[in-house]
Amino acid sequence: MIIKADRIKKKLGKTMALNDLSFEIKEGIVGLVGRNGAGKSTLLRALSGVYSLDGGTLTCDDVPISLQKPPKGTFFLPDDPYYPSRLTLLGLYEFLSLYYKLDKEALLSLAGSLGLPTDKFISSFSKGMRRQAYLAAALSVDARLLLLDEAFDGLDPLALEKVKGMIIDRYAGQDKIVIIASHNIVSLERLSDTFLLIDGGKLSENGSSEEIAKGLRKIQVVFALPASESDLEALGIDVIGYRAQGAMVEFMTHSEDAIELIRKRFAPPYINLAPLSSTEIIAYAMEEGEKK
């Protein structure tokens, strides 16, 4: 399964929500990242056939996606889902079953693992519980393309980890695509195979966190004598996000010989090349995108 966008455009009022956006994504779990107003929701609505485009082409397996013609097997959970108010979880299942193929056993299993009652109206749930109920329903749909818009808002940390596990169990390693839009990068940690970063309706980055990192390194060092950010830059090291925590200094850099230069100049008792999290990489890429 492959989705391709070629210079797609969408104007909402006076704002160009999608502005010559091009990308290609394949099967897997995709984190759609960008600040509020970056164009994430507009893109999901275009993929789901809710919005028509003002320019460019959007295809799934070379078949055009257009207004009311999403890819076969698409399920879209918007950030503000609307369903009849006096529905229980089983009522929601029956309602959605009119339009989609749902796995009732999967829905009840997912709801049970999240501690959701099946005999109470969803309208009486807290915001977090309602979000969990809609997610449980979305994940029980036999979807080939699952689109989730800010779906993790209102979830507590335990529920978030359970939901992420459900997504991995049901979608990882299959010929399916899950696109999860979020401005909260941390919520996508240890979940997304690839990331699609957009800013101002344009592509900022696209690829795995390792590809986006492009040689970025995180170094932790304890100096015998104080060393400032400017001291490191004087050695020709590009210093990104310098942070001192007690005796420990941590920063990111693209300089391949940073450790060798620091050892030669300062002879620190401790220096280490630390692993970068997806959150750190994506946050850095977003900041760099804003500077362009």
Side-chain angles (χ1 to χ4, degrees):
M1 188 176 190
I2 301 177
I3 292 175
K4 296 180 182 179
D6 183 17
R7 303 189 67 180
I8 60 175
K9 298 179 181 180
K10 178 63 181 178
K11 193 172 185 179
L12 297 176
K14 296 181 178 180
T15 301
M16 190 62 76
L18 300 177
N19 190 4
D20 281 338
L21 177 62
S22 298
F23 62 85
E24 179 178 314
I25 52 179
K26 299 180 180 180
E27 67 274 1
I29 302 170
V30 181
L32 176 57
V33 181
R35 301 186 188 279
N36 289 332
K40 303 187 301 297
S41 295
T42 303
L43 176 57
L44 293 187
R45 282 170 167 76
L47 286 167
S48 64
V50 174
Y51 282 167
S52 61
L53 293 173
D54 296 320
T57 58
L58 186 61
T59 63
C60 178
D61 293 336
D62 296 325
V63 178
I65 301 171
S66 58
L67 185 64
Q68 297 181 356
K69 290 185 178 180
K72 186 177 181 180
T74 297
F75 185 86
F76 174 42
L77 182 64
D79 60 346
D80 55 347
Y82 171 78
Y83 297 110
S85 60
R86 295 181 68 81
L87 284 180
T88 63
L89 196 55
L90 290 178
L92 178 61
Y93 164 79
E94 293 171 355
F95 175 78
L96 291 176
S97 293
L98 298 173
Y99 308 96
Y100 304 96
K101 181 181 178 181
L102 272 73
D103 183 336
K104 186 174 182 179
E105 184 177 337
L107 174 62
L108 294 177
S109 175
L110 296 177
S113 67
L114 292 170
L116 296 173
T118 59
D119 57 348
K120 294 183 178 180
F121 290 131
I122 294 176
S123 58
S124 69
F125 289 3
S126 67
K127 177 182 177 181
M129 290 175 65
R130 284 197 301 274
R131 178 60 71 181
Q132 292 174 43
Y134 297 142
L135 272 171
L139 293 176
S140 67
V141 174
D142 184 17
R144 190 163 177 246
L145 174 61
L146 178 63
L147 307 171
L148 304 176
D149 193 0
E150 300 293 351
F152 298 154
D153 276 4
L155 298 185
D156 61 63
L158 181 58
L160 175 59
E161 290 306 310
K162 287 183 178 180
V163 167
K164 287 162 70 171
M166 296 172 192
I167 293 173
I168 292 171
D169 289 344
R170 293 183 66 83
Y171 286 91
Q174 301 186 47
D175 186 28
K176 298 179 178 181
I177 293 177
V178 182
I179 302 178
I180 307 168
S182 180
H183 63 274
N184 183 357
I185 310 169
V186 177
S187 67
L188 300 175
E189 185 76 36
R190 298 185 304 279
L191 176 62
S192 301
D193 302 310
T194 58
F195 292 90
L196 185 66
L197 279 65
I198 60 176
D199 182 42
K202 296 182 178 181
L203 180 68
S204 177
E205 294 282 357
N206 184 18
S208 67
S209 57
E210 291 79 9
E211 291 168 337
I212 293 172
K214 296 175 182 175
L216 190 66
R217 298 164 174 79
K218 181 168 72 174
I219 294 176
Q220 296 173 332
V221 56
V222 174
F223 291 101
L225 297 174
S228 66
E229 181 176 352
S230 59
D231 290 329
L232 298 178
E233 290 174 339
L235 297 177
I237 300 171
D238 68 309
V239 179
I240 305 163
Y242 180 94
R243 181 175 57 182
Q245 296 178 309
M248 175 75 74
V249 169
E250 182 177 280
F251 66 94
M252 294 184 292
T253 182
H254 286 100
S255 301
E256 295 181 6
D257 56 351
I259 290 179
E260 181 181 347
L261 290 171
I262 292 171
R263 280 177 174 158
K264 185 176 180 179
R265 172 65 179 82
F266 297 103
Y270 175 84
I271 189 166
N272 179 53
L273 185 63
L276 275 162
S277 68
S278 298
T279 300
E280 291 171 316
I281 294 169
I282 302 305
Y284 165 74
M286 289 175 64
E287 290 174 2
E288 288 300 296
E290 290 186 340
K291 296 176 184 177
K292 295 178 182 179

